[in-house]
Amino acid sequence: MEPASTSTLAQKNLLTAEEFFLLLDPGDGSQQELVHGEITATAPSGGIHGVSCLKAGRRIGDFVEWNNLGTVTSNGTGFITERGPDSVRGPDISFWSKEKLTAIPVGYIETAPDMLVEVLSPSNTSKQIRAKLKEYFASGVRLVWVMAPEDRTLTIYRIPDEGRLLHESALVSGEDVLPEFTCRVSDLLP
């Protein structure tokens, strides 16, 4: 009997989004994502990250709810960015218009959000963020904000390789994705 090829063995160990969803919580506070069928984990976030996520999520969530625009999730709610092998990402904050997400599933969301927010931690590398941006836009995301709370900045992306940097006193808007939403970058930071 011939040994299995390396690629065949690797394929057998890759998880699908559905298998990943059924795994138990790691119990150590880490956040896990599925990247090309393999689990990646990050350490629990620090205080400035958590406060920034809450402030941005509350601002965006309140605006969306008051205007009946759709659904906002936080805390790494998973959505499927790729299939075969599967990838599941969990941005800090995500927004889906009510036209795009008509029902909220129990499992991971199959549709890319219209907008999402990533809050950087000291452990994030620019290589990781660039890879995520490419994956997000390839899956159909239209607008990404990358917040850097320690630098007190926010970068707006409409395409993965070109961002517009805003400092804390600047006004940020939801552009055509969340029309009429505006606030100062500092309103999203501790």
Side-chain angles (χ1 to χ4, degrees):
M1 191 163 130
E2 289 185 26
S5 72
T6 307
S7 63
T8 304
L9 290 175
Q11 277 297 94
K12 290 182 183 178
N13 294 330
L14 298 180
L15 293 175
T16 65
E18 292 74 19
E19 292 166 332
F20 181 57
F21 182 73
L22 296 175
L23 293 179
L24 296 175
D25 185 306
D28 60 3
S30 65
Q31 181 181 344
Q32 296 183 326
E33 292 183 319
L34 188 66
V35 181
H36 307 295
E38 297 181 20
I39 297 172
T40 64
T42 57
S45 302
I48 196 169
H49 182 276
V51 172
S52 298
C53 288
L54 181 61
K55 288 185 89 167
R58 191 170 48 225
R59 286 263 177 178
I60 295 167
D62 286 349
F63 180 83
V64 167
E65 187 173 336
W66 293 334
N67 293 286
N68 191 29
L69 299 175
T71 301
V72 175
T73 63
S74 65
N75 200 26
T77 300
F79 80 96
I80 299 168
T81 60
E82 298 175 319
R83 288 286 193 176
D86 294 0
S87 291
V88 177
R89 295 293 191 169
D92 293 308
I93 298 138
S94 302
F95 160 70
W96 286 265
S97 66
K98 62 183 178 182
E99 295 79 21
K100 198 167 188 182
L101 186 64
T102 57
I104 301 169
V106 172
Y108 297 126
I109 299 172
E110 295 268 352
T111 306
D114 293 281
M115 174 188 173
L116 59 86
V117 179
E118 284 284 5
V119 179
L120 298 180
S121 296
S123 62
N124 291 127
T125 66
S126 56
K127 182 179 178 181
Q128 289 170 328
I129 297 304
R130 280 193 314 272
K132 279 188 174 187
L133 286 169
K134 287 179 181 179
E135 192 174 323
Y136 289 152
F137 284 107
S139 73
V141 174
R142 297 171 42 212
L143 178 65
V144 177
W145 291 355
V146 177
M147 294 173 48
E150 290 185 59
D151 295 337
R152 304 196 61 77
T153 62
L154 182 150
T155 305
I156 300 169
Y157 291 91
R158 295 303 296 238
I159 58 174
D161 296 325
E162 217 174 282
R164 184 167 47 101
L165 180 68
L166 302 177
H167 293 274
E168 66 181 313
S169 62
L171 279 176
V172 62
S173 79
E175 301 182 7
D176 63 328
V177 178
L178 281 177
E180 298 181 29
F181 176 88
T182 61
C183 70
R184 295 225 176 267
V185 171
S186 60
D187 294 336
L188 306 173
L189 302 168

